[in-house]
Amino acid sequence: MSAQSPTVAHPSAFIRFNDLVGLLQTVFVRHGTSPEVARLLAHNCASAERDGAHSHGIFRIPGYLSTLASGWVDGKAIPVVDDVASGFVRVDAGNGFAQPALAAARSLLVDKARNAGIALLAIHNSHHFAALWPDVEPFAEEGLVALSVVNSMTCVVPHGADRPLFGTNPIAFAAPRADGPPIVFDLATSAIAHGDVQIAARKGERLPPGMGVDSLGQPTEDPKAVLEGGALLPFGGHKGSALSMMVELLAAALTGGNFSFEFNWADHPGARTPWTGQLLIVIDPSKTAGQSFAERSQELVRQMHAAGLRRLPGDRRHRTRAKSDEQGIEVDAHELAQLRELLL
Amino acid sequence: MSAQSPTVAHPSAFIRFNDLVGLLQTVFVRHGTSPEVARLLAHNCASAERDGAHSHGIFRIPGYLSTLASGWVDGKAIPVVDDVASGFVRVDAGNGFAQPALAAARSLLVDKARNAGIALLAIHNSHHFAALWPDVEPFAEEGLVALSVVNSMTCVVPHGADRPLFGTNPIAFAAPRADGPPIVFDLATSAIAHGDVQIAARKGERLPPGMGVDSLGQPTEDPKAVLEGGALLPFGGHKGSALSMMVELLAAALTGGNFSFEFNWADHPGARTPWTGQLLIVIDPSKTAGQSFAERSQELVRQMHAAGLRRLPGDRRHRTRAKSDEQGIEVDAHELAQLRELLL
C-alpha cells in the first residue's frame, strides 16, 4: 500500500470528515481552484486522511498550494471528454487535475463498461498528486472491477540502468466482494512511495535498505539523500521495473500524456504535481460465466484468511475509516492549525 | 521474465524451428490430442525453445504427455466461443488447453478491440502449461497492446500467510514499437517460476535466497525441498502478493474458472496441468490522442537505453531467436533424442 505510513505525530486533534472536507475545500478555492475542483480534491485528500493514509492527506496540501501559486497547473481547468468508441473514452484534462477529468467522464465510462463489458478511460494533460485507490474503490462499490495506473515524475532508476527515468508509477485495483468492503490495493512500483520518503525525512527517520540511492547512485538509507539528487529503486527488482515501464506505456503513451521524464517545471518554482496521464480500465463482472463475481471473490478472501492471512489489502484503511467515522479523524494538531491559518 | 532459465546442458544438438514444430506435433497427436491442438501446442513449445525459454520448451513435454495419459485434460476438446458483449468474449475451453481457446476466439477479440477500443477475453475450464508471452506477443505484432494473466496451482504462500494458496500467476504484457520487435514481458508473480525450480532441482543447483520455503514453512535454498511439500514466495513481498491475488480474481473469479486451490487431480496420477482460467485484455492504441503509440513507445525505449539500460524486457529472447533462426535451435541432445524415442 503506497498510502500507508507511520502513525500521526502527537499531539493529536480530532476532526469530522465533513468538516475536514469543508475546510480543505475553502483552502483550495482560496488558492485558485474552481469550487468543483476544490470539492473533488478536498474529498480525495480528506478520504486519505480519514483512512490513515497520511502521506496523501493533509500532508499534501502545501504541495498543492505551492503548485497552484506557481501557475504550473490550472486549478479551474474544464476537462474535455471525447467519446471515441464503444469502449474507449478520452479526456483532455486541460492542464488541470486528473480527478475532475475522471469525474467528468465517469458516468459515460460506467455506461460503456456495463454495455460493452469493459471500457477504458484515457486521461492526458493531467496532474495527479493524490492516492490512486480513491479513483478505483467507488467502481467496486458499484459492483465493477477497476484497474488504474498513473505515471508521475522521474525519480526511479529502472532495474539495470544508471540513472532515474520512471516515476513511482502506482497500480491500483478494486474488486467487489459479497460480504464486506471491496478488495482494494494501491501500490507504488517504486520500493517506497515518494510521500513516505518525504515523511521519513521530516521525522528524521532512516529508510529500510534497498529503497533508494544517493546522488552518486550509491545505496542509501538516508531519506534526505534520496530527495536531494538521489533516486528510488523499483520494488521487486526487474519485475517491478517491468511493471513500472508498463505504467509509462499505459498512462502516458496510450493516453497521449507526458512520460515521467518529459515535463520541465524549472520555470515554475514551487511546482510539485507531475504533468502526465492516467489510464483506467473498468470491467463489468456480471458478464462472467457461472457464480457471481462477488461471491467468488468472497470465497478467495475466505481462503486467504484460512491460509493464515490476518490482514487483506485495504483492511487497515477500512479499520481506520471505521474508527475515524466514530470518533472523528485523528490528525496532527500542528498540521491542522497550519491548515486553519491558511484561511486567516 | 518467468521464461528465462540457465543455458542448455551440453552436449548440444541443432534443429530447425519448423522441424521441431513438426516433431512436437507428431508427438502430441500420437499421445492423444487433435491435429489442431497439436499444431498450437507444438508451435508454442517450439517458440519457447527457439527463444531460449527452456523451462517452457521441450522440458515441458513429459508433463504434457503424462497429463494426457492420465485423462485429466481433454486433448481433443473443442472450445465454445460466446460473444457476450461488444467488448467481452467468453470461451469455455471444455477441459482442454487454453491455447486452442484463445485461437478460437482470437479474430473476434481483435475485431472487438479495433471497434470498441478495448476488448476482454475470458477463458475458463482451461489448462495452461506454457509460457504466457506467446499469447500476447502476436497482438503487439499487429499493432495492439495486450495484457494477459493466468492462475495456476497452489504453490505460493501469500505475504503474511502461513500456507500456500496462490499459483505462480504470471502477468504478460506486449506493446508495439516503431523501430523494433514489440516490448514484451512475462513475469511470474512468484519470486521464481515453477519450471525454473524444477530445472534447478534436476541440475542439482541451489536457489537464490528468498525464493521458497520447505514443508515446515522455513526458508530454504534447496529446490527439492520446495518441490517436495514446500512452497514458493511471492516476488517483492506484499506488493507481488497483492498482484498475485489480482491474478486469481481476474483469471479465475472473472472468467468462471477455478482458483489455483480449487481443483483436485489426486485421481489422475501424472496430471501436471493446472485447470483454471485465463484473461486477456487487448487495446487498440490507434484510439489514443496525439502521436502514434508505436512512436511513443519507441521514445520510451530510446530513453531507457539513454539511462544506461542495456537489455530491455524481451531483448534476450529476441536475440536468441535471431541466433536460432540462423543456425537452428540449440537443444539438449539427450532431450531431443528422448523426444524422438517417443515416436518409435
Side-chain angles (χ1 to χ4, degrees), chain A residues 1-4 133 184-187 196 313-314 317, chain B residues 238-239:
Chain A
M1 308 289 298
S2 69
Q4 307 295 354
W133 58 262
V184 181
F185 67 76
D186 172 2
L187 56 89
D196 288 331
R317 278 199 308 100
Chain B
H238 75 277
K239 294 186 181 187

Side-chain angles (χ1 to χ4, degrees), chain B residues 42-75:
Chain B
H43 193 276
N44 175 300
C45 190
S47 299
E49 195 68 40
R50 175 200 62 194
D51 284 15
H54 304 297
S55 64
H56 290 99
I58 298 171
F59 174 76
R60 291 266 148 172
I61 297 300
Y64 274 113
L65 302 191
S66 70
T67 304
L68 285 161
S70 78
W72 171 245
V73 67
D74 181 356

